[in-house]
Amino acid sequence: MPIHTTSDGWVLETQATGYALGLNQAGLLVHRYWGPRLLDPDDYPRAPDSAGWASFNNPAQLTPEEYPGYEDMKFVEPCLKVTFGDGVRDVVLRFAGAEVHEADGPELRIQLRDQAYPFRLTLHYRVHAAYDLIERWVTATNDGDTPLQIERIWSAQWHLPPGDAYRLSHLTGRHMNEFSLRREPLTHGVKVLESRRITTSHHHSPWFAVDRGHADEDAGEVWFGALAWSGNWKLAAEVTDFGSTRVNLGLNDWDFAWRLAPGESFVAPSSYSGYSYEGFGGASRRLHDFVRDTLLPHGKTLHKVLYNSWEATEFDVDEPSQIHLAELAAALGVELFVMDDGWFHGRNHDRAGLGDWWPDARKFPNGLQPLIDRVNALGMEFGIWIEPEMVNPDSDLYRAHPDWVIHFPTRARTEGRNQLILNVARADVQEYLIEKLDRLLSDHNIAFIKWDMNRNVSEPGWPDAPSDPRELWVRYVQGLYHIWGTLRERHPQVIWQSCSGGGGRADLAILRLADQIWVSDNTEPATRLGIQEGFSQLFPANTMEAWVTDMGASYLSPAFRFHVSMCGVLGIGGHLARWSAAQRTEAARWIALYKEIRPIVQLGDCYRLRSPQMHPYSALQYVSKDRAEGVLFVFRTHLQGPAVLPPIYLRGLDPDARYEVEGIPGARSGRAWMHAGLSIPLNDFASSARRIRRAAG
Ligand code: GLA
């Protein structure tokens, strides 16, 4: 039973972990424990009492509350800040009941009620036992007859065991250089990571891992988590003056307000967190399995090798040139042909066309059907690029509806890449986009959509907002989910890819809609190694679309370029018409090999053996779930000579079974490959992909 009720609270148990919370003597809902699962529900520590410290630190300041509201003399980061109708800005929440819903997750629901106002908060704890994850979110309800205003509503405060010093791992970056992994000590005060860009952002990811400073990929205690939200978010990791460490995760409260009308509820997004005693690798593998098994719309469907025309032709697409590329792609073994930007009305460059989602009559005089028919006849599926939330001022849509964009009437409308953002919080905008895109999908045999989003917000106004215009930050994302969700429901066979100028919208919530993420516009393979490593902290390889393009082709071998992309979902994005016959023959060989190994890469366990961000000689391994097969990728970028290359120690094998590693004579035990290691000599900018197979008998 994953949820136990104990004398002073509740214990949530997963396969390997326990999480305990309860009521202390003062009646406050407090954190008790988060770590390895203990033998007995009564083994978990009791709820800590509230103690104070002189007049400057009331008990409220020192109590590890599960979900502190702003009240009393509380100066730690609260999760909730509310202003009631009469102007009172202090929320006094106290325990009012708890229920366990076994069928629903299972889920523990705890009710907190304000002591003076008809305001209620439900804390939800859902246990994902097989993944050692706990999902937390909250619902706020106004049971009264006057509106109130929510100014902050985070999804969870995650408490680390008290009294220790911790290190925070997080991802940071920018366009063309997303997902750089950083590790730094958490010191007294608050470390804030956030997005204020209306998307998840290239700059930080709503993900964290916290350890005591000495965990590695294989071993050590790691507490980790992520927020499932694709708009403004905030992570506030606080070390209090009394040495208590907690990580808050939720919607960004910056410029945020939500008017909660009588009878209404507000549901905050889910935050998922877990504990691993198998280091950062163990944390990642738990998230990977969870994403693949429970979030992705098409779950464990193997993804096809695609060709995308963007880096080859940019806006210069038309029927004959796309058909030519499609013929070349089919001959390589490509299974899905994706036409990128440039196909729709008036789209000859990035200054016009966005919003007018029908085929450009000059480029496609007979519509898209002849191209799609040809692609299908070549044995490939057809995919297409869209950027629904955007509009160019030079478009029929903007000329008809200039008021549909996010703007302040008295301010200039700042353009990014010559475009403005449609306010998808508006019902009329939602209807327009659903109608246009539904028609595109209904009229054509489209198997794949790349959904792009190429700028961040400015002048975040909503002139005729029905409620507080600052609700835009949340209602925009809800509108996006509504449009995308409606289209997905109507066209369930379509595979969607989330792109935002690369990895600008990568999070657990978008993966309920999209099966894949376009990780970065940077396809230079050596740089990509680090980007992909960061991405893999959170996301599984079957969500990681990776193209071989012409970037890096002048100094990196085709093998290196293919090996990098084969670590995820292989795609091709180079200008095939300019590839020589020999290059195309070699590409066909790599694609054929990828098709053999893709079940292991896309659905297996990922082991980061040596970090490319730390070492110019790096390695990554995938192992099938039954541990019968694996693939090892080894890369060397520039290493000053003379260099002694370290052994590579494999991971994830059955220690007592015997395995063969391609290119190395003789079978050895899993134990030997994992502890004695193997040597893969490589020159600068060379790579190797080796298959690993359990030996017969
Ligand atoms: C963004 C995407 C690219 C490409 C272009 C098209 O930059 O990340 O892959 O689709 O837009 O304009």
Side-chain angles (χ1 to χ4, degrees), residues 175 308 310 315 340-341 347 385 387 417 450 452 454 499-502 518 520-521 547:
H175 176 232
N308 180 296
W310 171 247
F315 299 99
D340 209 280
D341 199 350
R347 186 69 166 171
W385 176 97
E387 196 181 358
R417 206 195 191 200
K450 173 175 170 184
D452 210 338
N454 275 313
C499 172
S500 176
W518 178 232
S520 180
D521 276 350
W547 310 339

Side-chain angles (χ1 to χ4, degrees), residues 4-41:
H4 306 274
T5 304
T6 59
S7 53
D8 64 348
W10 303 269
V11 173
L12 316 178
E13 289 188 329
T14 68
Q15 214 167 66
T17 75
Y19 183 105
L21 64 161
L23 299 173
N24 72 3
Q25 276 177 353
L28 293 174
L29 183 70
V30 292
H31 184 73
R32 293 165 52 199
Y33 177 88
W34 190 19
R37 195 169 88 184
L38 306 181
L39 213 55
D40 193 271

